[in-house]
Short mmCIF file of all heavy atoms in Angstrom, two decimals:
data_model
loop_
_atom_site.label_atom_id
_atom_site.label_comp_id
_atom_site.label_asym_id
_atom_site.label_seq_id
_atom_site.Cartn_x
_atom_site.Cartn_y
_atom_site.Cartn_z
N HIS B 514 -12.57 28.59 -26.71
CA HIS B 514 -11.30 29.42 -26.44
C HIS B 514 -11.50 30.32 -25.25
O HIS B 514 -12.53 30.14 -24.62
CB HIS B 514 -11.25 30.31 -27.73
CG HIS B 514 -11.09 29.63 -29.01
ND1 HIS B 514 -10.01 29.30 -29.55
CD2 HIS B 514 -12.15 29.45 -29.77
CE1 HIS B 514 -10.37 28.69 -30.80
NE2 HIS B 514 -11.55 28.71 -30.98
N CYS B 549 -4.97 33.24 -26.30
CA CYS B 549 -5.96 32.27 -25.95
C CYS B 549 -5.53 31.52 -24.81
O CYS B 549 -4.44 31.03 -24.64
CB CYS B 549 -6.21 31.44 -27.16
SG CYS B 549 -7.53 30.20 -26.82
N GLN B 551 -7.50 28.79 -23.41
CA GLN B 551 -8.09 27.42 -23.34
C GLN B 551 -7.63 26.59 -24.59
O GLN B 551 -7.75 27.03 -25.76
CB GLN B 551 -9.66 27.58 -23.35
CG GLN B 551 -10.33 26.25 -23.12
CD GLN B 551 -9.99 25.56 -21.86
OE1 GLN B 551 -9.12 24.71 -21.79
NE2 GLN B 551 -10.58 26.01 -20.73
N TYR B 552 -7.20 25.43 -24.12
CA TYR B 552 -6.64 24.70 -25.22
C TYR B 552 -7.61 24.37 -26.34
O TYR B 552 -8.72 23.98 -26.06
CB TYR B 552 -6.06 23.27 -24.64
CG TYR B 552 -5.60 22.38 -25.75
CD1 TYR B 552 -4.36 22.63 -26.46
CD2 TYR B 552 -6.24 21.12 -26.03
CE1 TYR B 552 -3.85 21.95 -27.38
CE2 TYR B 552 -5.76 20.39 -27.06
CZ TYR B 552 -4.55 20.65 -27.70
OH TYR B 552 -4.18 19.84 -28.68
N CYS B 553 -7.29 24.75 -27.61
CA CYS B 553 -8.28 24.70 -28.60
C CYS B 553 -7.79 23.96 -30.00
O CYS B 553 -8.31 24.14 -30.93
CB CYS B 553 -8.75 26.19 -29.02
SG CYS B 553 -7.30 27.27 -29.26
N HIS B 557 -3.04 26.38 -30.68
CA HIS B 557 -3.53 27.15 -29.44
C HIS B 557 -2.33 28.15 -29.05
O HIS B 557 -2.75 29.33 -28.50
CB HIS B 557 -3.82 26.15 -28.27
CG HIS B 557 -3.90 26.67 -26.91
ND1 HIS B 557 -4.87 27.65 -26.60
CD2 HIS B 557 -3.18 26.48 -25.81
CE1 HIS B 557 -4.63 27.95 -25.28
NE2 HIS B 557 -3.66 27.20 -24.82
N MET B 560 -2.22 31.63 -30.84
CA MET B 560 -3.55 32.42 -30.83
C MET B 560 -3.38 33.66 -29.95
O MET B 560 -4.01 33.63 -28.95
CB MET B 560 -4.64 31.58 -30.45
CG MET B 560 -6.08 32.07 -30.72
SD MET B 560 -7.36 30.91 -30.64
CE MET B 560 -8.73 32.00 -30.54
CU1 CUA D 135 -8.02 29.31 -28.95
CU2 CUA D 135 -6.68 28.24 -27.39
#
Side-chain angles (χ1 to χ4, degrees):
Chain B
H514 305 268
C549 177
Q551 183 58 265
Y552 178 67
C553 51
H557 162 62
M560 187 163 164

